[in-house]
Amino acid sequence: MTVYIVVHAHELKPTEDWMEYFTTLDTVLKAHGARHLAVGLPDAVIEGSWDGAVAILEFPSTEAFHACYQDPAYQRVLPLRQNSARLDAVLVTQAAPGGATQAARTMSGGAT
C-alpha cells in the first residue's frame, strides 16, 4: 500500500553540506521507488502559523520507506540534514476509499 511522508522542516540554517544531502537524497529515493510530490516554502498559510518548508514524499510501501531510511547512503548524509534543519515528519497511508468521512471515523476511533 502506498504511504506518504509529510515533513515540516523548520529552523532552517543551510550549511555548506546542504546540497550534498539533497543530491544523495534524490538518488536514494529513486532507488527505493519514492518520489517528491511537493517540496518547498508554502505558497500561502491557510490556517494557523507556519515557519519553514514542507515536503510530501510518496513511497510504494511502508517497507520501502524503512529500507530507504536505513539505506547506508542515506544514513551517511543524515547528519548533514540534522545540522541544517529540525524536522517534524509523519508517515501516513493512502486515503481510504470512504474519503474524508471514513478518515474522520478513523481519527475519532470509529465513532460515527
Side-chain angles (χ1 to χ4, degrees):
M1 177 182 284
T2 303
V3 297
Y4 302 91
I5 306 301
V6 180
V7 177
H8 176 204
H10 43 102
E11 298 178 23
L12 302 171
K13 50 183 191 297
T15 65
E16 295 175 9
D17 301 322
W18 186 252
M19 290 310 298
E20 180 182 353
Y21 169 78
F22 283 103
T23 300
T24 301
L25 176 63
D26 284 341
T27 301
V28 173
L29 288 174
K30 186 175 181 179
H32 293 279
R35 65 189 182 115
H36 278 99
L37 297 180
V39 63
L41 298 172
D43 294 326
V45 176
I46 307 302
E47 289 188 36
S49 61
W50 191 276
D51 66 322
V54 65
I56 303 171
L57 297 90
E58 178 183 69
F59 286 84
S61 66
T62 301
E63 295 79 15
F65 163 72
H66 288 293
C68 181
Y69 192 83
Q70 296 303 322
D71 188 297
Y74 182 73
Q75 288 297 307
R76 180 182 61 78
V77 297
L78 180 57
L80 303 179
R81 197 271 307 145
Q82 291 170 328
N83 291 331
S84 300
R86 190 167 72 80
L87 295 189
D88 296 314
V90 295
L91 181 139
V92 293
T93 57
Q94 187 171 352
T101 303
Q102 182 59 43
R105 285 189 184 112
T106 300
M107 288 186 288
S108 64
T112 58

